Amino acid sequence: MNTSTRNLSKLKKAARIILVGPPGCGKGTQSGRLLDHFKLTPISSGDLLRENVRNRTPLGIQAETVMRSGGLVQDSLMVKLIVGELSKRGWVETRGNLTSGICLTGPLSVIGGPITPRASDSPTASFLLDGFPRTKNQAQSLDSEVAMNLVVNLDVPHDVILDRIANRLVHEPSGRVYNMTWNKPKNPGVDDVTGEPLTRRPDDCPETFSKRLKNYAEATGPLLEHYDKAGVLWTVSGSTSDEITPQLDAEILKRFG
Ligand code: AP5
Ligand code: MG
């Protein structure tokens, strides 16, 4: 039995994990590996936004300018997008009381205080969030929908990150990530799975990227503090994804295996 197959059967309870880390730290790369190792289905806020931009949805049109400038999309839009997606996939119970046109969950006001949301403890209800929440506000909104039980803070040195972004290529439709030095596609310029062309992300140019790093630095302190207080924060450090992956796998097995 290989490692991946062995690990799949080792999740004994639901893992609801958030990956937090600066742009380019390897969140997308780790998500792909966790899907492979534990069948942990990821939702990437950035990928979802880019899909909305491609499909010219009202949300995508609104988010496009902000993303291109390296800013953060409005909290209310992000919560609507992600909670809507969680609800669509059946990972949170739908109560449909938050927004018109989309079936969302939301905090219930009742005499005696709010009802704490309950989530299934079955390992099949496991999932992974990449890039959401990114602000304390978003975290508080998510708390009222579902209790996340592990927040992974990916701590990667800045100089490493800058070098990676300069070499990143993506397959936009799937979110698959390549690197021209480290993780080249089998055939230059095309996706390994579909053979479709790879592109550079428009927000990876140096000027926009430095804005993204600055925004990250500003929003992250309060976010990490929030999850530290909740007792679910775990930090992992490393210069490469290969250093981080075995530590992350071991932590997940320790907590949920
Ligand atoms: P998003 O798409 O989430 O971008 P990000 O957080 O800036 O992170 P990236 O996707 O750039 O990096 P990553 O950590 O996934 O790294 P990767 O695995 O690709 O968000 C984009 C925008 O959407 C935001 O700027 C914002 O506007 C908006 N947005 C999204 N969520 C939001 C939210 N919640 N609230 C408000 N706005 C939101 O790796 C990077 C590179 O490194 C790759 O080339 C990879 O191949 C390479 N690499 C990985 N591991 C190694 C290694 N070991 N050695 C060498 N290279 C490696
Ligand atoms: Mg990413």
Side-chain angles (χ1 to χ4, degrees), residues 237-255:
S237 306
S239 291
T240 70
S241 299
D242 293 343
E243 270 171 54
I244 287 176
T245 302
Q247 299 181 65
L248 185 51
D249 282 3
E251 188 67 21
I252 289 174
L253 285 175
K254 191 174 102 190
R255 290 180 186 237

Side-chain angles (χ1 to χ4, degrees), residues 18-21 27 43-46 78 129-134 138:
I18 299 170
L19 293 186
V20 180
K27 297 183 295 293
I43 292 185
S44 155
S45 53
M78 291 310 302
L129 297 180
D130 159 0
F132 179 92
R134 208 172 283 226
Q138 293 178 8

Side-chain angles (χ1 to χ4, degrees), residues 87-139:
S87 156
K88 200 168 86 187
R89 298 185 191 211
W91 291 339
V92 294
E93 287 169 31
T94 51
R95 285 181 239 137
N97 62 336
L98 264 188
T99 320
S100 58
I102 188 165
C103 197
L104 296 182
T105 64
L108 287 180
S109 287
V110 291
I111 298 162
I115 293 174
T116 310
R118 276 183 301 146
S120 162
D121 211 28
S122 159
T124 56
S126 298
F127 62 89
L128 176 74
L129 297 180
D130 159 0
F132 179 92
R134 208 172 283 226
T135 64
K136 185 178 168 185
N137 256 342
Q138 293 178 8

Side-chain angles (χ1 to χ4, degrees), residues 28 130 168 201:
D130 159 0
R168 172 162 69 179
R201 270 174 44 179

